Structures are given as C-alpha cells and as structure tokens.
C-alpha cells in the first residue's frame, strides 16, 4: 500500500520517459469516478540505494523532476503534457497524474528502459509505413514548440524521444521541462 492505492486502481507500467526514462508511467483508473489516467512514478528508494548516484547528483535529479512538474502544471496547450494535479512527493516516490499516455517516442522506437514487460499494444505498435503518423506527430510537436517560444517565452532544451509522448488518442505531446529556461516575460 502506497500513497496512490487510496485514490487509484493501478495497472501495469505502460510506458517510460523523462531523463534516462526515469518516469515509469502506469495505466490507472481513479477510484472516484473510474476515469482512466496515467500515473507517472519515480521510485526514490531505488535511487537512494543506487551507489552510483551521489547525494549531489540525486538532489539535482530531484530538482529537475520538481521543475518539470511545476512547468507542466502551468503550461496549457494541446501539444504539451498537462498535469491534472500538482506533483505528489513523499519520502518514497514522486508521482503525477496526466491524461492517458500510450508511450514515449523512445518506447515506440523499441527502447523499453524501465518497463518490466512491454504491453502487447506497445510491443506490436508501429508508425505508419507511409510516414503519415510521424509527420503528423512532428507537426503537433512543432505547434507545441511554437506556443512555448512565442507565448510562454520558454526554451525546452531537452527535446528528445524520451520527452515526446503519444497519448492513447494518438496525439503527440511535449514533456520533460526540467532543463527548460524562460527567456522573456510572458506576453
């Protein structure tokens, strides 16, 4: 029983993403109302036990995760991941709730880092052979970047396959704002 079991019925790990695919993204249903969501979870205990991660590096990693969630909470655009509520941080985990995510682009490219067993839908998924899916996805990401640059004054600085996500509806969205910078005041 962790902090999430009270509020959610948590299913399998559906995806991973973020720096080094640190986020494990679970399929879940809210116990209140039954809405499908994705729960993004980082296991702090696992990080604390890793002897290859210094205390300084760990604190920097945590700061990046906190900044990522804080930015995602503020930015509202159809091509940017949006948090349904603020980041939950306990002694053991970081967790955040979003609309249902199918996979990161890194997962779609068959990198299953931090996924114990890929779900059949992910394992069998492929982008259309004519390139249409990728073209549409890249168009959606460019729309998101335009909004970030022109409206929010944000430079992402870490756009890569593990920070681009595909929703269960097939929409492509930008996440991973832990290294972003603001270069001007909002209009």
């Amino acid at each position: 029983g962790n902090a999430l079991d009270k509020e959610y019925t948590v299913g399998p790990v559906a995806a991973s993403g973020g720096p080094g695919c640190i986020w494990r993204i679970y399929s879940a249903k809210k116990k209140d109302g039954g809405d499908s969501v994705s729960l993004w979870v980082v296991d702090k205990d696992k990080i604390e036990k890793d002897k290859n991660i210094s205390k300084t590096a760990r604190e920097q990693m945590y700061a990046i995760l906190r900044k990522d969630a804080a930015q995602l909470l503020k930015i509202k655009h159809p091509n940017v991941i949006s948090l349904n509520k603020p980041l939950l941080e306990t002694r053991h985990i970081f967790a955040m709730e979003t609309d249902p995510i199918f996979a990161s682009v890194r997962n779609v490219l068959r990198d299953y880092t931090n996924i114990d067993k890929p779900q059949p839908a992910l394992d069998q998924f492929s982008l259309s052979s004519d390139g249409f899916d990728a073209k549409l996805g890249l168009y959606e990401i460019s729309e998101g970047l335009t909004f970030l640059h022109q409206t929010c004054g944000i430079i992402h600085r870490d756009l890569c396959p593990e920070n681009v996500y595909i929703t269960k509806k097939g929409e492509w969205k930008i996440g991973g704002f832990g290294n972003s910078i603001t270069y001007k005041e909002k209009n």
Side-chain angles (χ1 to χ4, degrees), residues 2-75:
N2 65 35
L4 301 174
D5 291 336
K6 293 180 196 92
E7 228 178 306
Y8 306 94
T9 303
V10 182
V13 175
S16 62
C21 286
I22 192 166
W23 290 108
R24 290 169 60 101
I25 305 171
Y26 293 83
S27 296
K29 283 198 183 302
K30 288 182 167 190
K31 287 185 176 173
D32 180 20
D35 290 346
S36 291
V37 295
S38 282
L39 291 178
W40 302 46
V41 179
V42 171
D43 181 348
K44 290 167 88 175
D45 294 336
K46 186 176 168 185
I47 294 167
E48 305 282 335
K49 288 177 190 148
D50 189 332
K51 302 288 182 233
N52 296 318
I53 302 173
S54 70
K55 186 176 191 308
T56 305
R58 186 170 58 238
E59 287 308 316
Q60 288 171 336
M61 184 185 312
Y62 291 171
I64 286 170
L65 296 173
R66 289 183 193 109
K67 181 179 180 183
D68 183 13
Q71 289 284 59
L72 290 173
L73 201 54
K74 289 189 284 193
I75 302 165

Side-chain angles (χ1 to χ4, degrees), residues 14 19-20 24 40 45 47 58 70 72 79 86 88-89 94 101 108 115 126-127 138 147 183:
R24 290 169 60 101
W40 302 46
D45 294 336
I47 294 167
R58 186 170 58 238
L72 290 173
N79 302 115
L88 169 70
E89 182 176 351
F94 286 102
I101 297 297
V108 166
I115 301 174
S126 63
L127 295 169
L138 291 171
F147 173 78
Y183 66 91

Side-chain angles (χ1 to χ4, degrees), residues 11-177:
V13 175
S16 62
C21 286
I22 192 166
W23 290 108
R24 290 169 60 101
I25 305 171
Y26 293 83
S27 296
K29 283 198 183 302
K30 288 182 167 190
K31 287 185 176 173
D32 180 20
D35 290 346
S36 291
V37 295
S38 282
L39 291 178
W40 302 46
V41 179
V42 171
D43 181 348
K44 290 167 88 175
D45 294 336
K46 186 176 168 185
I47 294 167
E48 305 282 335
K49 288 177 190 148
D50 189 332
K51 302 288 182 233
N52 296 318
I53 302 173
S54 70
K55 186 176 191 308
T56 305
R58 186 170 58 238
E59 287 308 316
Q60 288 171 336
M61 184 185 312
Y62 291 171
I64 286 170
L65 296 173
R66 289 183 193 109
K67 181 179 180 183
D68 183 13
Q71 289 284 59
L72 290 173
L73 201 54
K74 289 189 284 193
I75 302 165
K76 299 296 178 210
H77 187 272
N79 302 115
V80 175
I81 294 288
S82 68
L83 292 191
N84 297 341
K85 56 171 76 173
L87 179 73
L88 169 70
E89 182 176 351
T90 70
R91 225 175 66 228
H92 302 287
I93 63 168
F94 286 102
M96 53 189 191
E97 177 195 310
T98 67
D99 291 336
I101 297 297
F102 174 68
S104 66
V105 170
R106 183 165 168 176
N107 300 152
V108 166
L109 297 173
R110 302 286 181 260
D111 182 335
Y112 301 136
T113 301
N114 218 2
I115 301 174
D116 303 323
K117 183 179 187 302
Q119 296 302 299
L122 176 58
D123 208 28
Q124 295 159 14
F125 180 83
S126 63
L127 295 169
S128 60
S129 58
D130 64 2
F132 181 78
D133 292 343
K135 288 175 190 166
L136 180 58
L138 291 171
Y139 173 77
E140 290 174 335
I141 295 309
S142 71
E143 289 288 301
L145 286 173
T146 299
F147 173 78
L148 291 172
H149 294 169
Q150 294 179 354
T151 306
C152 303
I154 292 174
I155 300 172
H156 190 281
R157 299 193 331 162
D158 196 14
L159 198 61
C160 55
E162 53 267 30
N163 285 330
V164 175
Y165 299 89
I166 302 173
T167 67
K168 295 229 169 142
K169 295 178 181 171
E171 305 152 324
W172 289 37
K173 296 184 181 241
I174 302 168
F177 285 83

